[in-house]
Amino acid sequence: MITTLSGDTSRLLATVDFVKEQDTAALLPLLFPGLDGPELRTLVEHCRFAHAAQLVFPSGEAELAAMLAACGLVSAAPGRPSVVVRERLAVRHRRRAGDLDVGILRPEVVGADGERRMVEVFVLTVPPGSDLGAVAEAEREGQHEAHVAFEVVAPDPLVLRGLCATFARYGATADGGGYNPHENGTVFYFGAAAEAKVGYRRVELYVPGDHRDVLSAHLAEHRAQQPAETVLRLLTGAWTTQALAAFTELRVPDAMDGEGVGDGGREDAGEGGRGIGVEELARKVGARPRNLATLLRYLAMLGVVAEDRDGFRLTAVGALLRAGGPGSMRALALMYGGPFYQSFAGLGHTVRTGQVAFEHHFGENHFDHFARDPRLAELFDQSMAAGSAMFDPVPTHPVLTAAAGAPAGATVVDIAGGTGELLGRVLAAHPRLKGVLLERPHVVEAARRRLEELGPRCVFLVGDFADVPEGGDVYVLSRVLHDWDDDQCRDILRHCARAMPAHADLLVVERVLPADGAFSLATAWDLHMMCNVGGRERRADHYGRLFADAGLVLVGEVPLPLDGTVLHVRKAGRSASV
């Protein structure tokens, strides 16, 4: 044991000395030979040398304290869990992540340049006789977790992508990463350039906040180096859909409500949440404890629940699957795990023949199928409202703000507006506006109940696209056009153009396909629309041509959350100014 402690202490001392001696401008060219001039200055401007890391294996708290003291390190804060390193160790050694209690300590040191930096100490406790001894020996030899780290000064997606691209240009290779909800930070790991002139072979880019959108592309590069594992992970996507659907259908999120829901991302970021034991939870939902535990462990790996000594608790992600909660996505989970899941089994049929898989499976289009079943109809309408976060910025669109300031007031016409999720937000934000909602009979009744507090400010019309009312000031088509092929879209838009006065505006809310093939939810929804509805997502220029065919013109685009976009449309020949 003394030899083990001495070895860990020696490596930790070397790490402390390294942190004290280096600074950002000097270290970057050592890691990336050839880096100089403007690119070096850009990196120095946007990131700073923050720490060097070492993984140690004390037998307990006393040994860890002695090790830190021998290195002149004082940790003022208790250790926090390391989600990223725990998962990396689990994969590397084929262990269950829950059996690897990896913590992080970050004692400060002062560099030769007077800057305060940290020595990041990952701690995996290995009690005497533990079967983790083999893990410790392999890690000491491989030094897989030893690295140097740079922290991004002002997190911004464009800057972050640029930093990653610069690292790659000078020989760095993607080496994994992850999001740590306990400290709300995103980690990008790189393998150092082969010509690097320091002993550390790994580089970390640490970014405060949740940047999993950029991280996804980085991880894809890493997985590309491991094609067999990539295929296996992709093939299990159907398991994830059904795990979420079963979790929701059994109302497990509702049974866990009040047991400590965190406010973080993939895991609870709070400190006071209490888990609930599997036996008690199984009694609440009427499930077999052993089978429920298997489901929950899988969902814990995905960040839907978190496990602690008391049992399981919801994360902020899992909380979205509760019934009736703010932004609930319960209905969406049941739809994607139910009718749409069944129809996706016929995707090959759609690709081969062009026939919509939903119609092939159920014998009718999805609108008619849902309309005949009140339970499904209600579920579908609820699922349409589940992505309502996309609508958050819409009421502040300049067109609506200008309409709300019109001296004589103005009317917003929401065409096929569902249960009024978007129109309700617009009218609530602008008390002087009036609204008209056009929908099918059963949906109109649901919208009337939802928006009854608006009283005479909102009129409800039963009809289809041929019944678009005339005389509105702002017309809205939200997530409508993607349901239809181009010919049907032209018909819908012509009905709108016929009803619109010369001064009126049309706001079209859709997911727009990126022109450059970048990662986007629109690309996934394009596949979904083809398989289940017979519609499609489109690029902005494609929408522009459809608008032109109806005598309309696209005059502006505004991005929305969840990869949405507001397309601002007017009658051809009208000025583009608001």
Side-chain angles (χ1 to χ4, degrees):
M1 182 55 62
I2 295 177
T3 302
T4 299
L5 175 60
S6 176
D8 281 356
T9 302
S10 176
R11 288 186 292 108
L12 192 54
L13 274 170
T15 302
V16 172
D17 291 341
F18 182 87
V19 172
K20 289 180 177 179
E21 294 166 0
Q22 295 295 337
D23 62 50
T24 305
L27 180 56
L28 281 167
L30 296 177
L31 291 165
F32 307 115
L35 176 66
D36 59 13
E39 286 187 306
L40 175 58
R41 289 194 294 274
T42 298
L43 287 185
V44 172
E45 178 184 353
H46 289 291
C47 63
R48 65 178 186 85
F49 175 41
H51 68 258
Q54 193 60 252
L55 173 60
V56 298
F57 306 92
S59 60
E61 291 185 9
E63 192 166 343
L64 174 62
M67 187 185 304
L68 294 174
C71 296
L73 300 176
V74 177
S75 180
R80 307 196 72 175
S82 171
V83 174
V84 178
V85 172
R86 181 189 67 188
E87 292 178 352
R88 286 171 59 88
L89 289 175
V91 170
R92 196 153 53 238
H93 298 282
R94 295 178 173 82
R95 298 286 187 125
R96 182 173 172 270
D99 295 335
L100 301 172
D101 186 12
V102 182
I104 313 174
L105 296 171
R106 293 195 176 100
E108 283 191 348
V109 297
V110 179
D113 57 359
E115 291 288 328
R116 290 186 174 276
R117 301 189 182 90
M118 293 180 295
V119 176
E120 189 169 70
V121 185
F122 297 118
V123 181
L124 176 61
T125 301
V126 182
S130 168
D131 64 350
L132 295 176
V135 173
E137 289 308 314
E139 289 298 319
R140 288 188 183 105
E141 181 177 351
Q143 289 290 287
H144 303 291
E145 300 306 325
H147 65 262
V148 293
F150 297 86
E151 182 171 350
V152 179
V153 176
D156 173 88
L158 289 177
V159 170
L160 186 52
R161 289 188 175 95
L163 293 175
C164 291
T166 301
F167 279 19
R169 192 155 50 247
Y170 286 91
T173 55
D175 190 29
Y179 171 68
N180 190 338
H182 298 283
E183 57 190 40
N184 189 28
T186 310
V187 174
F188 296 75
Y189 282 131
F190 298 85
E195 302 83 10
K197 299 175 182 178
V198 294
Y200 292 89
R201 310 311 304 170
R202 294 180 63 243
V203 181
E204 172 191 309
L205 198 60
Y206 177 83
V207 194
D210 186 346
H211 298 273
R212 279 175 281 182
D213 51 347
V214 182
L215 179 66
S216 63
H218 178 78
L219 294 178
E221 290 183 26
H222 177 54
R223 286 193 295 268
Q225 304 165 29
Q226 305 165 12
E229 180 180 338
T230 298
V231 170
L232 284 176
R233 288 181 180 273
L234 292 174
L235 287 173
T236 61
W239 304 353
T240 298
T241 302
Q242 283 302 315
L244 292 169
F247 182 65
T248 304
E249 183 180 359
L250 290 168
R251 294 190 176 273
V252 181
D254 301 287
M256 299 174 78
D257 193 7
E259 300 296 339
V261 179
D263 59 5
R266 291 182 57 221
E267 291 190 37
D268 178 26
E271 297 295 332
R274 182 182 70 84
I276 179 173
V278 171
E279 295 282 345
E280 180 184 353
L281 191 55
R283 284 195 300 272
K284 284 187 173 186
V285 302
R288 292 170 59 93
R290 179 179 174 183
N291 296 47
L292 180 60
T294 300
L295 173 63
L296 291 173
R297 282 195 297 270
Y298 181 80
L299 293 174
M301 181 178 70
L302 301 177
V304 179
V305 299
E307 185 177 7
D308 58 25
R309 63 171 61 90
D310 296 317
F312 291 90
R313 65 185 185 279
L314 281 178
T315 67
V317 172
L320 290 175
L321 298 176
R322 293 178 297 189
S328 173
M329 303 179 80
R330 169 182 166 79
L332 209 59
L334 295 176
M335 286 295 299
Y336 287 179
F340 289 145
Y341 187 89
Q342 293 172 269
S343 61
F344 250 112
L347 177 60
H349 176 82
T350 295
V351 174
R352 185 172 60 253
T353 69
Q355 183 183 4
V356 179
F358 192 101
E359 297 175 9
H360 178 66
H361 181 83
F362 290 103
E364 57 187 339
N365 73 61
H366 94 291
F367 291 112
D368 292 339
H369 183 73
F370 293 156
R372 286 195 307 101
D373 184 331
R375 184 190 66 83
L376 276 180
E378 181 181 8
L379 191 64
F380 176 72
D381 291 335
Q382 291 173 351
S383 72
M384 289 299 292
S388 60
M390 182 188 292
F391 299 149
D392 288 346
V394 173
T396 63
H397 191 282
V399 163
L400 292 166
T401 303
T411 298
V412 178
V413 180
D414 195 351
I415 305 161
T419 58
E421 178 69 31
L422 177 54
L423 184 59
R425 288 170 179 245
V426 170
L427 298 184
H430 302 292
R432 298 188 63 219
L433 290 179
K434 294 175 290 186
V436 177
L437 187 139
L438 175 69
E439 255 295 359
R440 296 158 292 160
H442 76 278
V443 184
V444 160
E445 290 308 309
R448 195 188 306 273
R449 292 191 298 271
R450 180 184 182 89
L451 303 179
E452 61 180 349
E453 73 278 2
L454 295 172
R457 289 182 59 207
C458 191
V459 175
F460 302 91
L461 298 181
V462 173
D464 57 25
F465 297 115
D467 302 309
V468 177
E470 298 180 355
D473 300 287
V474 180
Y475 289 76
V476 176
L477 278 172
S478 175
R479 297 184 298 180
V480 170
L481 296 180
H482 72 166
D483 287 334
W484 308 99
D485 64 25
D486 282 1
D487 288 340
Q488 291 165 311
C489 283
R490 291 187 187 96
D491 287 341
I492 293 169
L493 291 167
R494 286 177 182 132
H495 288 307
C496 293
R498 170 193 53 77
M500 291 168 61
H503 72 274
D505 296 276
L506 171 63
L507 299 181
V508 175
V509 178
E510 293 288 356
R511 287 191 172 99
V512 176
L513 287 171
D516 60 358
F519 178 87
S520 171
L521 289 173
T523 305
W525 257 256
D526 195 23
L527 188 70
H528 170 67
M529 303 312 293
M530 178 184 75
C531 183
N532 287 289
V533 183
R536 61 187 300 182
E537 307 294 354
R538 298 168 172 90
R539 292 185 0 176
D541 58 349
H542 190 159
Y543 276 117
R545 292 191 294 273
L546 295 178
F547 298 146
D549 290 343
L552 301 167
V553 61
L554 175 63
V555 297
E557 303 174 38
V558 175
L560 296 174
L562 302 179
D563 283 342
T565 299
V566 179
L567 301 172
H568 179 196
V569 183
R570 285 177 168 169
K571 285 195 165 183
R574 185 181 164 203
S575 170
S577 62
V578 174

